[in-house]
Amino acid sequence: MVRQAKQSDLDQVMELIAQCIARMSEEGNPQWDEDYPARRDFVGDVEKGNLFVCEEEGVIAGVACINREEPEEYQGVSWSSGRGATVVHRLAVSPAFRGRKLGRILLRQAEE
């Protein structure tokens, strides 16, 4: 089930992120580390109503920030829809829940 995240979800979100950072590090992917993504990023996402979580078996198993805040690199792009891009930031699925298509479910949320 995908739903909008609440501030009370942030401890679980940060645990999920820590698990993902550890797995990424094991796999040689340095994209995320102890500095990014930070709790303050997710706090802001929740405050803006942009953070979504995917629950499985009573726990938060996936998370994504979905909004229209385009990175600087997107500024010169002429989007074919004429309405800008929907952007997915900080998408993560708990290593314990990989293979269950939760990333796909979160991307579908972005499409909707």
PDB file of all heavy atoms in Angstrom, residues 26-65:
ATOM      1  N   GLU A  26      28.308  -1.824   0.080  1.00  0.00           N
ATOM      2  CA  GLU A  26      28.778  -3.198  -0.177  1.00  0.00           C
ATOM      3  C   GLU A  26      28.912  -3.469  -1.667  1.00  0.00           C
ATOM      4  O   GLU A  26      29.795  -4.211  -2.096  1.00  0.00           O
ATOM      5  CB  GLU A  26      27.809  -4.215   0.423  1.00  0.00           C
ATOM      6  CG  GLU A  26      27.795  -4.290   1.911  1.00  0.00           C
ATOM      7  CD  GLU A  26      26.635  -5.147   2.436  1.00  0.00           C
ATOM      8  OE1 GLU A  26      25.966  -5.834   1.641  1.00  0.00           O
ATOM      9  OE2 GLU A  26      26.416  -5.122   3.660  1.00  0.00           O
ATOM     10  N   GLU A  27      28.021  -2.873  -2.454  1.00  0.00           N
ATOM     11  CA  GLU A  27      28.005  -3.099  -3.896  1.00  0.00           C
ATOM     12  C   GLU A  27      28.895  -2.113  -4.662  1.00  0.00           C
ATOM     13  O   GLU A  27      28.896  -2.095  -5.886  1.00  0.00           O
ATOM     14  CB  GLU A  27      26.560  -3.023  -4.404  1.00  0.00           C
ATOM     15  CG  GLU A  27      25.694  -4.145  -3.852  1.00  0.00           C
ATOM     16  CD  GLU A  27      24.218  -4.017  -4.177  1.00  0.00           C
ATOM     17  OE1 GLU A  27      23.788  -2.953  -4.697  1.00  0.00           O
ATOM     18  OE2 GLU A  27      23.484  -4.978  -3.903  1.00  0.00           O
ATOM     19  N   GLY A  28      29.614  -1.251  -3.919  1.00  0.00           N
ATOM     20  CA  GLY A  28      30.532  -0.312  -4.548  1.00  0.00           C
ATOM     21  C   GLY A  28      29.866   0.932  -5.111  1.00  0.00           C
ATOM     22  O   GLY A  28      30.436   1.619  -5.951  1.00  0.00           O
ATOM     23  N   ASN A  29      28.665   1.231  -4.650  1.00  0.00           N
ATOM     24  CA  ASN A  29      27.938   2.406  -5.123  1.00  0.00           C
ATOM     25  C   ASN A  29      28.029   3.502  -4.059  1.00  0.00           C
ATOM     26  O   ASN A  29      27.357   3.429  -3.029  1.00  0.00           O
ATOM     27  CB  ASN A  29      26.478   2.045  -5.396  1.00  0.00           C
ATOM     28  CG  ASN A  29      25.666   3.205  -5.917  1.00  0.00           C
ATOM     29  OD1 ASN A  29      26.062   4.359  -5.830  1.00  0.00           O
ATOM     30  ND2 ASN A  29      24.493   2.906  -6.443  1.00  0.00           N
ATOM     31  N   PRO A  30      28.814   4.560  -4.305  1.00  0.00           N
ATOM     32  CA  PRO A  30      28.987   5.618  -3.303  1.00  0.00           C
ATOM     33  C   PRO A  30      27.984   6.766  -3.416  1.00  0.00           C
ATOM     34  O   PRO A  30      28.168   7.816  -2.804  1.00  0.00           O
ATOM     35  CB  PRO A  30      30.403   6.122  -3.615  1.00  0.00           C
ATOM     36  CG  PRO A  30      30.487   5.995  -5.111  1.00  0.00           C
ATOM     37  CD  PRO A  30      29.712   4.714  -5.446  1.00  0.00           C
ATOM     38  N   GLN A  31      26.910   6.584  -4.176  1.00  0.00           N
ATOM     39  CA  GLN A  31      25.973   7.688  -4.435  1.00  0.00           C
ATOM     40  C   GLN A  31      25.395   8.273  -3.146  1.00  0.00           C
ATOM     41  O   GLN A  31      25.244   9.474  -3.022  1.00  0.00           O
ATOM     42  CB  GLN A  31      24.851   7.208  -5.340  1.00  0.00           C
ATOM     43  CG  GLN A  31      23.880   8.306  -5.717  1.00  0.00           C
ATOM     44  CD  GLN A  31      22.813   7.831  -6.675  1.00  0.00           C
ATOM     45  OE1 GLN A  31      22.757   6.669  -7.048  1.00  0.00           O
ATOM     46  NE2 GLN A  31      21.950   8.737  -7.080  1.00  0.00           N
ATOM     47  N   TRP A  32      25.026   7.422  -2.193  1.00  0.00           N
ATOM     48  CA  TRP A  32      24.517   7.887  -0.907  1.00  0.00           C
ATOM     49  C   TRP A  32      25.539   7.555   0.167  1.00  0.00           C
ATOM     50  O   TRP A  32      26.258   6.547   0.077  1.00  0.00           O
ATOM     51  CB  TRP A  32      23.188   7.214  -0.578  1.00  0.00           C
ATOM     52  CG  TRP A  32      22.034   7.684  -1.402  1.00  0.00           C
ATOM     53  CD1 TRP A  32      22.030   8.636  -2.375  1.00  0.00           C
ATOM     54  CD2 TRP A  32      20.692   7.195  -1.325  1.00  0.00           C
ATOM     55  NE1 TRP A  32      20.772   8.788  -2.901  1.00  0.00           N
ATOM     56  CE2 TRP A  32      19.926   7.914  -2.284  1.00  0.00           C
ATOM     57  CE3 TRP A  32      20.061   6.241  -0.553  1.00  0.00           C
ATOM     58  CZ2 TRP A  32      18.567   7.693  -2.461  1.00  0.00           C
ATOM     59  CZ3 TRP A  32      18.704   6.015  -0.737  1.00  0.00           C
ATOM     60  CH2 TRP A  32      17.970   6.740  -1.685  1.00  0.00           C
ATOM     61  N   ASP A  33      25.566   8.393   1.223  1.00  0.00           N
ATOM     62  CA  ASP A  33      26.513   8.176   2.312  1.00  0.00           C
ATOM     63  C   ASP A  33      25.929   8.730   3.610  1.00  0.00           C
ATOM     64  O   ASP A  33      24.726   8.996   3.686  1.00  0.00           O
ATOM     65  CB  ASP A  33      27.865   8.804   1.985  1.00  0.00           C
ATOM     66  CG  ASP A  33      27.773  10.306   1.686  1.00  0.00           C
ATOM     67  OD1 ASP A  33      26.820  10.971   2.147  1.00  0.00           O
ATOM     68  OD2 ASP A  33      28.672  10.808   0.988  1.00  0.00           O
ATOM     69  N   GLU A  34      26.785   8.953   4.600  1.00  0.00           N
ATOM     70  CA  GLU A  34      26.294   9.435   5.895  1.00  0.00           C
ATOM     71  C   GLU A  34      25.782  10.877   5.834  1.00  0.00           C
ATOM     72  O   GLU A  34      25.095  11.335   6.742  1.00  0.00           O
ATOM     73  CB  GLU A  34      27.365   9.298   6.978  1.00  0.00           C
ATOM     74  CG  GLU A  34      28.610  10.116   6.752  1.00  0.00           C
ATOM     75  CD  GLU A  34      29.630   9.479   5.796  1.00  0.00           C
ATOM     76  OE1 GLU A  34      29.456   8.314   5.407  1.00  0.00           O
ATOM     77  OE2 GLU A  34      30.582  10.178   5.432  1.00  0.00           O
ATOM     78  N   ASP A  35      26.087  11.593   4.763  1.00  0.00           N
ATOM     79  CA  ASP A  35      25.649  12.980   4.628  1.00  0.00           C
ATOM     80  C   ASP A  35      24.384  13.154   3.787  1.00  0.00           C
ATOM     81  O   ASP A  35      23.650  14.113   3.954  1.00  0.00           O
ATOM     82  CB  ASP A  35      26.768  13.832   4.014  1.00  0.00           C
ATOM     83  CG  ASP A  35      27.997  13.881   4.901  1.00  0.00           C
ATOM     84  OD1 ASP A  35      27.838  13.992   6.130  1.00  0.00           O
ATOM     85  OD2 ASP A  35      29.114  13.789   4.359  1.00  0.00           O
ATOM     86  N   TYR A  36      24.170  12.252   2.838  1.00  0.00           N
ATOM     87  CA  TYR A  36      23.004  12.349   1.957  1.00  0.00           C
ATOM     88  C   TYR A  36      22.512  10.957   1.617  1.00  0.00           C
ATOM     89  O   TYR A  36      23.319  10.093   1.272  1.00  0.00           O
ATOM     90  CB  TYR A  36      23.344  13.087   0.659  1.00  0.00           C
ATOM     91  CG  TYR A  36      22.124  13.194  -0.243  1.00  0.00           C
ATOM     92  CD1 TYR A  36      21.200  14.216  -0.065  1.00  0.00           C
ATOM     93  CD2 TYR A  36      21.877  12.240  -1.215  1.00  0.00           C
ATOM     94  CE1 TYR A  36      20.060  14.288  -0.860  1.00  0.00           C
ATOM     95  CE2 TYR A  36      20.742  12.308  -2.016  1.00  0.00           C
ATOM     96  CZ  TYR A  36      19.841  13.331  -1.825  1.00  0.00           C
ATOM     97  OH  TYR A  36      18.711  13.384  -2.599  1.00  0.00           O
ATOM     98  N   PRO A  37      21.207  10.764   1.688  1.00  0.00           N
ATOM     99  CA  PRO A  37      20.181  11.715   2.118  1.00  0.00           C
ATOM    100  C   PRO A  37      20.112  11.803   3.637  1.00  0.00           C
ATOM    101  O   PRO A  37      20.335  10.816   4.335  1.00  0.00           O
ATOM    102  CB  PRO A  37      18.892  11.145   1.527  1.00  0.00           C
ATOM    103  CG  PRO A  37      19.135   9.673   1.393  1.00  0.00           C
ATOM    104  CD  PRO A  37      20.622   9.510   1.178  1.00  0.00           C
ATOM    105  N   ALA A  38      19.804  12.988   4.116  1.00  0.00           N
ATOM    106  CA  ALA A  38      19.736  13.251   5.555  1.00  0.00           C
ATOM    107  C   ALA A  38      18.280  13.346   6.013  1.00  0.00           C
ATOM    108  O   ALA A  38      17.376  13.579   5.209  1.00  0.00           O
ATOM    109  CB  ALA A  38      20.458  14.558   5.872  1.00  0.00           C
ATOM    110  N   ARG A  39      18.091  13.195   7.293  1.00  0.00           N
ATOM    111  CA  ARG A  39      16.750  13.285   7.867  1.00  0.00           C
ATOM    112  C   ARG A  39      16.076  14.606   7.474  1.00  0.00           C
ATOM    113  O   ARG A  39      14.889  14.625   7.173  1.00  0.00           O
ATOM    114  CB  ARG A  39      16.813  13.125   9.389  1.00  0.00           C
ATOM    115  CG  ARG A  39      15.450  13.041  10.040  1.00  0.00           C
ATOM    116  CD  ARG A  39      15.586  12.871  11.564  1.00  0.00           C
ATOM    117  NE  ARG A  39      14.302  12.607  12.147  1.00  0.00           N
ATOM    118  CZ  ARG A  39      13.822  11.398  12.455  1.00  0.00           C
ATOM    119  NH1 ARG A  39      14.547  10.335  12.226  1.00  0.00           N
ATOM    120  NH2 ARG A  39      12.633  11.253  12.984  1.00  0.00           N
ATOM    121  N   ARG A  40      16.837  15.699   7.466  1.00  0.00           N
ATOM    122  CA  ARG A  40      16.251  17.009   7.131  1.00  0.00           C
ATOM    123  C   ARG A  40      15.646  17.000   5.730  1.00  0.00           C
ATOM    124  O   ARG A  40      14.666  17.702   5.479  1.00  0.00           O
ATOM    125  CB  ARG A  40      17.276  18.118   7.297  1.00  0.00           C
ATOM    126  CG  ARG A  40      18.386  18.110   6.286  1.00  0.00           C
ATOM    127  CD  ARG A  40      19.416  19.225   6.504  1.00  0.00           C
ATOM    128  NE  ARG A  40      20.559  19.021   5.650  1.00  0.00           N
ATOM    129  CZ  ARG A  40      21.612  18.247   5.946  1.00  0.00           C
ATOM    130  NH1 ARG A  40      21.660  17.619   7.108  1.00  0.00           N
ATOM    131  NH2 ARG A  40      22.603  18.113   5.098  1.00  0.00           N
ATOM    132  N   ASP A  41      16.226  16.219   4.807  1.00  0.00           N
ATOM    133  CA  ASP A  41      15.649  16.116   3.461  1.00  0.00           C
ATOM    134  C   ASP A  41      14.244  15.527   3.536  1.00  0.00           C
ATOM    135  O   ASP A  41      13.310  16.036   2.907  1.00  0.00           O
ATOM    136  CB  ASP A  41      16.519  15.233   2.559  1.00  0.00           C
ATOM    137  CG  ASP A  41      17.914  15.778   2.363  1.00  0.00           C
ATOM    138  OD1 ASP A  41      18.032  16.982   2.040  1.00  0.00           O
ATOM    139  OD2 ASP A  41      18.877  15.008   2.536  1.00  0.00           O
ATOM    140  N   PHE A  42      14.088  14.472   4.318  1.00  0.00           N
ATOM    141  CA  PHE A  42      12.796  13.806   4.430  1.00  0.00           C
ATOM    142  C   PHE A  42      11.800  14.620   5.245  1.00  0.00           C
ATOM    143  O   PHE A  42      10.604  14.605   4.952  1.00  0.00           O
ATOM    144  CB  PHE A  42      12.975  12.398   5.003  1.00  0.00           C
ATOM    145  CG  PHE A  42      13.782  11.516   4.103  1.00  0.00           C
ATOM    146  CD1 PHE A  42      15.094  11.207   4.399  1.00  0.00           C
ATOM    147  CD2 PHE A  42      13.233  11.000   2.940  1.00  0.00           C
ATOM    148  CE1 PHE A  42      15.844  10.403   3.560  1.00  0.00           C
ATOM    149  CE2 PHE A  42      13.971  10.200   2.094  1.00  0.00           C
ATOM    150  CZ  PHE A  42      15.283   9.892   2.405  1.00  0.00           C
ATOM    151  N   VAL A  43      12.291  15.345   6.247  1.00  0.00           N
ATOM    152  CA  VAL A  43      11.413  16.232   7.014  1.00  0.00           C
ATOM    153  C   VAL A  43      10.780  17.242   6.068  1.00  0.00           C
ATOM    154  O   VAL A  43       9.563  17.464   6.077  1.00  0.00           O
ATOM    155  CB  VAL A  43      12.187  16.939   8.152  1.00  0.00           C
ATOM    156  CG1 VAL A  43      11.369  18.082   8.744  1.00  0.00           C
ATOM    157  CG2 VAL A  43      12.578  15.940   9.235  1.00  0.00           C
ATOM    158  N   GLY A  44      11.600  17.867   5.234  1.00  0.00           N
ATOM    159  CA  GLY A  44      11.084  18.835   4.266  1.00  0.00           C
ATOM    160  C   GLY A  44      10.121  18.204   3.272  1.00  0.00           C
ATOM    161  O   GLY A  44       9.101  18.799   2.919  1.00  0.00           O
ATOM    162  N   ASP A  45      10.435  16.975   2.835  1.00  0.00           N
ATOM    163  CA  ASP A  45       9.544  16.276   1.901  1.00  0.00           C
ATOM    164  C   ASP A  45       8.168  16.052   2.515  1.00  0.00           C
ATOM    165  O   ASP A  45       7.140  16.256   1.862  1.00  0.00           O
ATOM    166  CB  ASP A  45      10.141  14.916   1.506  1.00  0.00           C
ATOM    167  CG  ASP A  45      11.439  15.024   0.723  1.00  0.00           C
ATOM    168  OD1 ASP A  45      11.705  16.083   0.133  1.00  0.00           O
ATOM    169  OD2 ASP A  45      12.180  14.011   0.706  1.00  0.00           O
ATOM    170  N   VAL A  46       8.146  15.645   3.787  1.00  0.00           N
ATOM    171  CA  VAL A  46       6.866  15.411   4.470  1.00  0.00           C
ATOM    172  C   VAL A  46       6.114  16.726   4.614  1.00  0.00           C
ATOM    173  O   VAL A  46       4.907  16.793   4.350  1.00  0.00           O
ATOM    174  CB  VAL A  46       7.076  14.738   5.847  1.00  0.00           C
ATOM    175  CG1 VAL A  46       5.772  14.703   6.644  1.00  0.00           C
ATOM    176  CG2 VAL A  46       7.623  13.320   5.674  1.00  0.00           C
ATOM    177  N   GLU A  47       6.821  17.783   5.029  1.00  0.00           N
ATOM    178  CA  GLU A  47       6.165  19.085   5.208  1.00  0.00           C
ATOM    179  C   GLU A  47       5.519  19.588   3.921  1.00  0.00           C
ATOM    180  O   GLU A  47       4.464  20.215   3.953  1.00  0.00           O
ATOM    181  CB  GLU A  47       7.185  20.112   5.726  1.00  0.00           C
ATOM    182  CG  GLU A  47       7.578  19.879   7.168  1.00  0.00           C
ATOM    183  CD  GLU A  47       8.715  20.775   7.630  1.00  0.00           C
ATOM    184  OE1 GLU A  47       9.314  21.515   6.807  1.00  0.00           O
ATOM    185  OE2 GLU A  47       9.027  20.716   8.837  1.00  0.00           O
ATOM    186  N   LYS A  48       6.132  19.292   2.785  1.00  0.00           N
ATOM    187  CA  LYS A  48       5.601  19.723   1.490  1.00  0.00           C
ATOM    188  C   LYS A  48       4.577  18.745   0.917  1.00  0.00           C
ATOM    189  O   LYS A  48       3.983  19.013  -0.126  1.00  0.00           O
ATOM    190  CB  LYS A  48       6.744  19.888   0.491  1.00  0.00           C
ATOM    191  CG  LYS A  48       7.701  21.000   0.838  1.00  0.00           C
ATOM    192  CD  LYS A  48       8.869  21.000  -0.144  1.00  0.00           C
ATOM    193  CE  LYS A  48       9.919  22.013   0.247  1.00  0.00           C
ATOM    194  NZ  LYS A  48      11.106  21.909  -0.630  1.00  0.00           N
ATOM    195  N   GLY A  49       4.390  17.607   1.588  1.00  0.00           N
ATOM    196  CA  GLY A  49       3.446  16.603   1.088  1.00  0.00           C
ATOM    197  C   GLY A  49       3.981  15.801  -0.080  1.00  0.00           C
ATOM    198  O   GLY A  49       3.217  15.220  -0.848  1.00  0.00           O
ATOM    199  N   ASN A  50       5.307  15.731  -0.207  1.00  0.00           N
ATOM    200  CA  ASN A  50       5.939  15.073  -1.342  1.00  0.00           C
ATOM    201  C   ASN A  50       6.492  13.684  -1.057  1.00  0.00           C
ATOM    202  O   ASN A  50       6.998  13.039  -1.971  1.00  0.00           O
ATOM    203  CB  ASN A  50       7.095  15.935  -1.862  1.00  0.00           C
ATOM    204  CG  ASN A  50       6.640  17.260  -2.409  1.00  0.00           C
ATOM    205  OD1 ASN A  50       5.519  17.395  -2.873  1.00  0.00           O
ATOM    206  ND2 ASN A  50       7.509  18.247  -2.359  1.00  0.00           N
ATOM    207  N   LEU A  51       6.464  13.241   0.180  1.00  0.00           N
ATOM    208  CA  LEU A  51       7.066  11.948   0.506  1.00  0.00           C
ATOM    209  C   LEU A  51       5.994  10.873   0.561  1.00  0.00           C
ATOM    210  O   LEU A  51       4.959  11.040   1.211  1.00  0.00           O
ATOM    211  CB  LEU A  51       7.814  12.009   1.840  1.00  0.00           C
ATOM    212  CG  LEU A  51       8.740  10.817   2.102  1.00  0.00           C
ATOM    213  CD1 LEU A  51       9.890  10.799   1.093  1.00  0.00           C
ATOM    214  CD2 LEU A  51       9.288  10.855   3.513  1.00  0.00           C
ATOM    215  N   PHE A  52       6.269   9.772  -0.127  1.00  0.00           N
ATOM    216  CA  PHE A  52       5.355   8.637  -0.165  1.00  0.00           C
ATOM    217  C   PHE A  52       6.081   7.402   0.330  1.00  0.00           C
ATOM    218  O   PHE A  52       7.278   7.223   0.066  1.00  0.00           O
ATOM    219  CB  PHE A  52       4.832   8.411  -1.592  1.00  0.00           C
ATOM    220  CG  PHE A  52       3.987   9.551  -2.071  1.00  0.00           C
ATOM    221  CD1 PHE A  52       4.567  10.675  -2.635  1.00  0.00           C
ATOM    222  CD2 PHE A  52       2.609   9.513  -1.924  1.00  0.00           C
ATOM    223  CE1 PHE A  52       3.788  11.746  -3.060  1.00  0.00           C
ATOM    224  CE2 PHE A  52       1.827  10.585  -2.333  1.00  0.00           C
ATOM    225  CZ  PHE A  52       2.421  11.698  -2.906  1.00  0.00           C
ATOM    226  N   VAL A  53       5.360   6.572   1.063  1.00  0.00           N
ATOM    227  CA  VAL A  53       5.921   5.322   1.557  1.00  0.00           C
ATOM    228  C   VAL A  53       5.085   4.156   1.064  1.00  0.00           C
ATOM    229  O   VAL A  53       3.889   4.297   0.803  1.00  0.00           O
ATOM    230  CB  VAL A  53       6.014   5.296   3.103  1.00  0.00           C
ATOM    231  CG1 VAL A  53       7.004   6.340   3.601  1.00  0.00           C
ATOM    232  CG2 VAL A  53       4.665   5.487   3.759  1.00  0.00           C
ATOM    233  N   CYS A  54       5.740   3.030   0.942  1.00  0.00           N
ATOM    234  CA  CYS A  54       5.085   1.792   0.550  1.00  0.00           C
ATOM    235  C   CYS A  54       5.215   0.845   1.735  1.00  0.00           C
ATOM    236  O   CYS A  54       6.329   0.573   2.201  1.00  0.00           O
ATOM    237  CB  CYS A  54       5.781   1.219  -0.684  1.00  0.00           C
ATOM    238  SG  CYS A  54       4.948  -0.199  -1.390  1.00  0.00           S
ATOM    239  N   GLU A  55       4.090   0.392   2.245  1.00  0.00           N
ATOM    240  CA  GLU A  55       4.098  -0.492   3.401  1.00  0.00           C
ATOM    241  C   GLU A  55       3.889  -1.939   2.969  1.00  0.00           C
ATOM    242  O   GLU A  55       3.069  -2.230   2.105  1.00  0.00           O
ATOM    243  CB  GLU A  55       2.999  -0.099   4.384  1.00  0.00           C
ATOM    244  CG  GLU A  55       3.236   1.232   5.047  1.00  0.00           C
ATOM    245  CD  GLU A  55       2.136   1.601   6.027  1.00  0.00           C
ATOM    246  OE1 GLU A  55       0.951   1.488   5.660  1.00  0.00           O
ATOM    247  OE2 GLU A  55       2.483   1.989   7.144  1.00  0.00           O
ATOM    248  N   GLU A  56       4.645  -2.812   3.606  1.00  0.00           N
ATOM    249  CA  GLU A  56       4.517  -4.252   3.403  1.00  0.00           C
ATOM    250  C   GLU A  56       4.680  -4.899   4.768  1.00  0.00           C
ATOM    251  O   GLU A  56       5.590  -4.537   5.524  1.00  0.00           O
ATOM    252  CB  GLU A  56       5.621  -4.776   2.477  1.00  0.00           C
ATOM    253  CG  GLU A  56       5.449  -4.425   1.030  1.00  0.00           C
ATOM    254  CD  GLU A  56       4.449  -5.329   0.325  1.00  0.00           C
ATOM    255  OE1 GLU A  56       4.560  -6.555   0.444  1.00  0.00           O
ATOM    256  OE2 GLU A  56       3.547  -4.781  -0.330  1.00  0.00           O
ATOM    257  N   GLU A  57       3.829  -5.842   5.052  1.00  0.00           N
ATOM    258  CA  GLU A  57       3.935  -6.598   6.305  1.00  0.00           C
ATOM    259  C   GLU A  57       4.022  -5.678   7.522  1.00  0.00           C
ATOM    260  O   GLU A  57       4.738  -5.945   8.480  1.00  0.00           O
ATOM    261  CB  GLU A  57       5.134  -7.546   6.249  1.00  0.00           C
ATOM    262  CG  GLU A  57       5.040  -8.543   5.113  1.00  0.00           C
ATOM    263  CD  GLU A  57       6.289  -9.390   4.946  1.00  0.00           C
ATOM    264  OE1 GLU A  57       7.139  -9.425   5.862  1.00  0.00           O
ATOM    265  OE2 GLU A  57       6.413 -10.021   3.881  1.00  0.00           O
ATOM    266  N   GLY A  58       3.321  -4.556   7.469  1.00  0.00           N
ATOM    267  CA  GLY A  58       3.250  -3.643   8.601  1.00  0.00           C
ATOM    268  C   GLY A  58       4.449  -2.734   8.794  1.00  0.00           C
ATOM    269  O   GLY A  58       4.533  -2.042   9.811  1.00  0.00           O
ATOM    270  N   VAL A  59       5.389  -2.736   7.847  1.00  0.00           N
ATOM    271  CA  VAL A  59       6.550  -1.857   7.966  1.00  0.00           C
ATOM    272  C   VAL A  59       6.730  -1.060   6.677  1.00  0.00           C
ATOM    273  O   VAL A  59       6.234  -1.451   5.615  1.00  0.00           O
ATOM    274  CB  VAL A  59       7.851  -2.634   8.273  1.00  0.00           C
ATOM    275  CG1 VAL A  59       7.751  -3.370   9.587  1.00  0.00           C
ATOM    276  CG2 VAL A  59       8.197  -3.584   7.153  1.00  0.00           C
ATOM    277  N   ILE A  60       7.452   0.034   6.784  1.00  0.00           N
ATOM    278  CA  ILE A  60       7.760   0.833   5.607  1.00  0.00           C
ATOM    279  C   ILE A  60       8.871   0.120   4.853  1.00  0.00           C
ATOM    280  O   ILE A  60       9.985  -0.041   5.360  1.00  0.00           O
ATOM    281  CB  ILE A  60       8.139   2.267   5.996  1.00  0.00           C
ATOM    282  CG1 ILE A  60       6.912   2.965   6.605  1.00  0.00           C
ATOM    283  CG2 ILE A  60       8.669   3.037   4.783  1.00  0.00           C
ATOM    284  CD1 ILE A  60       7.170   4.333   7.163  1.00  0.00           C
ATOM    285  N   ALA A  61       8.549  -0.315   3.650  1.00  0.00           N
ATOM    286  CA  ALA A  61       9.479  -1.103   2.849  1.00  0.00           C
ATOM    287  C   ALA A  61      10.052  -0.306   1.679  1.00  0.00           C
ATOM    288  O   ALA A  61      11.044  -0.713   1.082  1.00  0.00           O
ATOM    289  CB  ALA A  61       8.782  -2.355   2.333  1.00  0.00           C
ATOM    290  N   GLY A  62       9.433   0.820   1.347  1.00  0.00           N
ATOM    291  CA  GLY A  62       9.909   1.645   0.250  1.00  0.00           C
ATOM    292  C   GLY A  62       9.530   3.089   0.485  1.00  0.00           C
ATOM    293  O   GLY A  62       8.587   3.381   1.225  1.00  0.00           O
ATOM    294  N   VAL A  63      10.276   3.990  -0.157  1.00  0.00           N
ATOM    295  CA  VAL A  63      10.045   5.412   0.030  1.00  0.00           C
ATOM    296  C   VAL A  63      10.466   6.162  -1.230  1.00  0.00           C
ATOM    297  O   VAL A  63      11.383   5.728  -1.938  1.00  0.00           O
ATOM    298  CB  VAL A  63      10.830   5.933   1.266  1.00  0.00           C
ATOM    299  CG1 VAL A  63      12.321   5.773   1.098  1.00  0.00           C
ATOM    300  CG2 VAL A  63      10.480   7.361   1.598  1.00  0.00           C
ATOM    301  N   ALA A  64       9.781   7.253  -1.518  1.00  0.00           N
ATOM    302  CA  ALA A  64      10.171   8.120  -2.633  1.00  0.00           C
ATOM    303  C   ALA A  64       9.600   9.508  -2.420  1.00  0.00           C
ATOM    304  O   ALA A  64       8.472   9.658  -1.955  1.00  0.00           O
ATOM    305  CB  ALA A  64       9.671   7.562  -3.967  1.00  0.00           C
ATOM    306  N   CYS A  65      10.391  10.495  -2.784  1.00  0.00           N
ATOM    307  CA  CYS A  65       9.919  11.869  -2.840  1.00  0.00           C
ATOM    308  C   CYS A  65       9.477  12.114  -4.278  1.00  0.00           C
ATOM    309  O   CYS A  65      10.256  11.879  -5.216  1.00  0.00           O
ATOM    310  CB  CYS A  65      11.035  12.829  -2.446  1.00  0.00           C
ATOM    311  SG  CYS A  65      10.597  14.560  -2.697  1.00  0.00           S
TER     312      CYS A  65
END
